[in-house]
Amino acid sequence: MDNATYEKEWTRPVHRIGRITLLGVCITSFLPIAYLYFMYGIVPPIDWVITDIVLITASFGFIWLIEPITFFPVLGTIGSYEAFLTGNIGTSKLPAAAVAQDITRVEPGSKEAEVVSSLAIIGSTTTTVAFVCLGAIAGSAILGALPPDVLDAIKAYVAPAVFGALMVTFTVKFPKVIPVAIGVPLLLRLFAGGVIPGYLYIVFTLVATVIAAVLLYRGRIKDDKPETPLQEAESISED
C-alpha cells in the first residue's frame, strides 16, 4: 500500500473517529455530575474544584505529556486512541502491543506494526472487559475467600510481574541495554530518592536506554532489520 492510499484509507479515518470518540467520552464523563446537580442540586464549592484541579495538574500534569510521547512508538496512532480511551496502558495495552509486534516480527513504526498494535489492543481490551465483568460478578466471592497476605501480594506484584515478563522478551533481543534500563532507575532511587519526582525516573531511564541502544546496536539497527511476514513471503516466492 502506497503512502497516499494509507493516509486516505487508514490515517485520516483513524484521526476522525478517534477525535470524535475521545471528545464524546470527555463530554459524557460529566453526565453523573450534571445529574447530581440538576436532579438534587448537589455541586461542590468552586474553591474545592479549583484546588483539586491544581493539585492533580501539579501531580500528574507532566505525565500527561510524557506518556503519549513515550508510548506512541509502540502503540501507533490508532493504538494511542484506543489505549488512552480504555486505560490500563502500562499494565495491559502497551505489553500487548509490544508482544504482538515481537511475535509477528514487524518493524516498529511501520504500517504493519500500526495494524498489529491496534489489533493487539482490541484483543487486550476485549479480554479486560470480559474479566472485569467476571470479576464484578464473582470477584467479591473469590477475593473474599483469599487470605489478606495473598491479596496484598496480588496488589503489590501484579504490575511488576507484567513488566518483568515484558522485559524478558526484550532482553533476548537486546541484552546489552538491560543493565542501563535497570541501572539508571536503581541509581536514581538510591541517590536521588525523594529529591526528584517519580515521573522523572521514566524520562531519565527512557533517554539513557535510547542512547545506549543507539550506541550499542547502531550496526544492527541500520543493517539487520527484521523482515516482516510480507517481506518473507515475497522472498520465498522469488526463490
Side-chain angles (χ1 to χ4, degrees):
M1 180 183 295
D2 59 83
N3 291 333
T5 304
Y6 182 80
E7 175 74 16
K8 178 181 178 181
E9 300 295 335
W10 179 268
T11 305
R12 291 179 183 176
V14 163
H15 283 301
R16 183 175 64 253
I17 297 173
R19 290 166 182 166
I20 293 174
T21 305
L22 289 180
L23 181 60
V25 170
C26 291
I27 295 174
T28 55
S29 64
F30 288 97
L31 290 181
I33 300 175
Y35 174 79
L36 292 175
Y37 175 71
F38 289 110
M39 296 298 296
Y40 301 99
I42 299 175
V43 60
I46 189 63
D47 57 326
W48 289 14
V49 175
I50 295 175
T51 301
D52 288 343
I53 292 176
V54 172
L55 290 175
I56 292 173
T57 303
S59 300
F60 303 103
F62 196 75
I63 297 178
W64 300 339
L65 300 177
I66 292 297
E67 285 193 348
I69 296 173
T70 55
F71 292 163
F72 181 80
V74 177
L75 298 177
T77 303
I78 187 172
S80 296
Y81 281 119
E82 293 171 340
F84 284 96
L85 176 66
T86 57
N88 292 328
I89 303 174
T91 57
S92 176
K93 308 306 185 297
L94 185 68
V99 172
Q101 292 181 21
D102 183 66
I103 292 175
T104 55
R105 291 185 293 174
V106 296
E107 181 181 349
S110 64
K111 300 172 184 177
E112 293 86 351
E114 176 90 7
V115 176
V116 169
S117 174
S118 64
L119 294 177
I121 294 172
I122 291 172
S124 174
T125 302
T126 303
T127 304
T128 300
V129 171
F131 277 95
V132 166
C133 293
L134 179 63
I137 297 173
S140 298
I142 296 174
L143 295 177
L146 297 176
D149 291 341
V150 175
L151 292 177
D152 293 339
I154 292 175
K155 295 176 182 178
Y157 297 111
V158 166
V162 172
F163 282 104
L166 184 62
M167 179 169 285
V168 169
T169 301
F170 288 96
T171 300
V172 176
K173 297 176 62 178
F174 305 102
K176 297 179 182 179
V177 179
I178 299 305
V180 177
I182 297 177
V184 170
L186 181 60
L187 292 174
L188 291 174
R189 179 70 175 178
L190 292 175
F191 298 104
V195 179
I196 62 174
Y199 60 79
L200 287 181
Y201 286 24
I202 301 175
V203 178
F204 292 140
T205 304
L206 176 67
V207 172
T209 305
V210 170
I211 293 174
V214 172
L215 294 177
L216 295 172
Y217 292 99
R218 181 179 302 173
R220 177 174 173 181
I221 294 173
K222 182 178 181 181
D223 302 326
D224 192 27
K225 293 181 180 179
E227 287 188 335
T228 65
L230 179 59
Q231 291 171 331
E232 290 181 352
E234 292 176 350
S235 299
I236 295 173
S237 63
E238 290 176 358
D239 294 339

